[in-house]
């Protein structure tokens, strides 16, 4: 496996909107537990020459409630995770309740060469992989010299 | 070219091996017939999941893998280790031989029943 490079130039094209996400959670009245762990779902982001790749670690989410959208260069992953502690049988006792639940939303600003029309999302084993293709015009080209 | 890479892509492989595993978040619910343990293990498939009982200890372990291109350069990492591990102590009234495990969408659900002798019994009161 190739050791990935840390590329500061690419990193600068991303702007992580933590505060915006936190505000969005507050607006929908998400439970305090989720607000506290505001990194749900956790995100890893990388890039190839052809695409930007995001992996969101969102276990136990009904894929039908997962929403991936792009608006003016801002990619948003939203959904809802049901609490396992919401409907308990009578006499049940909760010994640990660590798993976050409720509505979630995370937003990532895409680099300028991202193609909003060519985005694929796939949910498997509790991870959501989003692939955003780069625009053809942004790829390096060889210009013939006259 | 797509390939299966471990989730942790920062640093070299040897440092990943040595890094402490992620402690999965859990919900634990006890009812009259046993315990339900739910653990978040995103990226873990059935064949990379290991559940063991040794004496009164329950071990859950898993390795996360995500399908990403081989030439991917990673520059933002919130999940930086590919392994999960957590250990629990089972109380003696639980029947560790009868544990039922289910893995769906990266969530492991274990049902650990109480042994028959430890089940609460209802005594019918006869009216004489």
């Amino acid at each position: 496996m190739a050791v990935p490079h840390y590329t500061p130039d690419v990193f600068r094209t991303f702007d992580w909107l933590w505060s915006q996400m936190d505000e969005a959670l507050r607006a929908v009245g998400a439970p305090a537990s989720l607000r506290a762990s505001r990194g749900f779902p956790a995100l890893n982001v990388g890039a190839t020459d052809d695409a930007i790749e995001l992996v969101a670690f969102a276990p136990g989410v009904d894929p039908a409630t997962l929403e991936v959208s792009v608006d003016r260069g801002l990619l948003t992953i939203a959904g809802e995770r049901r609490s396992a502690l919401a409907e308990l049988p009578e006499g049940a006792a909760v010994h640990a309740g660590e798993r976050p639940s409720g509505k979630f939303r995370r937003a990532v600003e895409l680099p300028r060469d991202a193609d909003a029309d060519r985005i694929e999302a796939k949910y498997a084993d509790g991870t959501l992989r989003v692939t955003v293709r780069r625009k053809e015009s942004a790829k390096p080209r060889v210009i013939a010299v006259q | 070219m797509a390939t299966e890479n471990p989730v942790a892509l920062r640093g070299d492989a040897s440092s990943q091996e040595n890094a402490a595993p992620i402690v999965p978040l859990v919900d634990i619910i006890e009812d009259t017939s046993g315990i339900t343990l739910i653990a978040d293990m995103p990226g873990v498939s059935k064949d990379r999941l290991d559940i063991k009982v040794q004496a009164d200890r329950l071990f859950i372990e898993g390795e996360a893998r995500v399908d990403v291109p081989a030439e991917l350069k990673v520059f933002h990492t919130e999940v930086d280790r590919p392994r999960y591990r957590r250990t629990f102590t089972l109380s003696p009234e639980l029947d560790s031989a009868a544990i039922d495990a289910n893995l769906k969408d990266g969530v492991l659900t274990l049902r650990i029943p109480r042994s028959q002798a430890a089940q609460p019994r209802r005594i019918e009161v006869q009216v004489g």
Side-chain angles (χ1 to χ4, degrees):
Chain A
M1 187 189 87
V3 176
H5 308 274
Y6 177 72
T7 47
D9 286 336
V10 184
F11 186 67
R12 259 201 291 274
T13 62
F14 282 73
D15 183 16
W16 298 91
L17 302 171
W18 304 120
S19 58
Q20 180 161 341
M21 185 199 69
D22 206 34
E23 269 171 35
L25 286 176
R26 238 174 272 271
V28 298
S33 62
L34 179 55
R35 281 216 300 270
S37 62
R38 63 181 187 172
F40 187 91
L43 282 176
N44 285 5
V45 185
T48 63
D49 290 344
D50 300 323
I52 296 102
E53 301 274 358
L54 293 93
V55 178
F57 296 82
V61 176
D62 176 3
T65 73
L66 268 174
E67 198 185 294
V68 179
S69 59
V70 178
D71 184 24
R72 277 164 291 184
L74 192 68
L75 183 129
T76 303
I77 296 170
E80 183 168 6
R81 189 160 95 142
R82 295 180 61 179
S83 171
L85 312 176
E87 288 163 28
L88 295 178
E90 205 178 323
V94 175
H95 295 303
E98 302 168 351
R99 300 168 62 243
S101 63
K103 288 184 175 164
F104 58 82
R105 177 180 297 272
R106 288 199 74 176
V108 173
E109 196 175 315
L110 295 171
R112 224 168 288 164
D113 65 355
D115 188 343
D117 296 327
R118 289 194 301 154
I119 300 182
E120 291 158 41
K122 188 184 160 202
Y123 187 70
D125 294 330
T127 63
L128 175 70
R129 178 183 165 194
V130 182
T131 304
V132 184
R133 300 278 165 203
R134 294 185 195 273
K135 287 176 184 152
E136 291 293 332
S137 59
K139 286 185 192 169
R141 276 181 303 161
V142 176
I143 313 294
V145 177
Q146 300 291 321
Chain B
M1 185 192 81
T3 184
E4 286 237 318
N5 277 357
V7 178
L9 294 162
R10 178 173 287 174
D12 57 40
S14 60
S15 72
Q16 286 171 28
E17 289 298 319
N18 297 333
I22 295 169
V23 176
L25 296 178
V26 298
D27 288 342
I28 300 174
I29 305 148
E30 180 173 11
D31 58 45
T32 49
S33 59
I35 293 226
T36 303
L37 190 156
I38 308 167
D40 280 348
M41 302 174 88
V44 176
S45 58
K46 209 170 158 185
D47 52 327
R48 297 186 191 280
L49 175 71
D50 195 20
I51 305 161
K52 271 186 305 200
V53 176
Q54 218 166 44
D56 64 341
R57 309 279 277 168
L58 168 71
F59 299 85
I60 58 175
E61 274 187 72
E63 188 187 349
R65 294 237 165 175
V66 178
D67 184 26
V68 290
E71 68 276 21
L72 188 75
K73 291 171 187 159
V74 177
F75 47 82
H76 178 84
T77 312
E78 292 173 10
V79 178
D80 62 351
R81 287 159 287 169
R83 279 174 209 288
Y84 300 91
R85 186 184 298 151
R86 194 158 177 178
T87 310
F88 304 87
T89 304
L90 298 171
S91 52
E93 75 268 19
L94 294 172
D95 185 356
S96 60
I99 295 177
D100 185 58
N102 181 282
L103 181 69
K104 186 174 185 281
D105 294 338
V107 176
L108 171 68
T109 303
L110 292 181
R111 179 67 192 168
I112 314 162
R114 268 181 221 275
S115 54
Q116 285 302 322
Q119 299 272 2
R121 279 180 302 157
R122 195 186 191 97
I123 313 296
E124 288 288 325
V125 178
Q126 304 287 331
V127 180

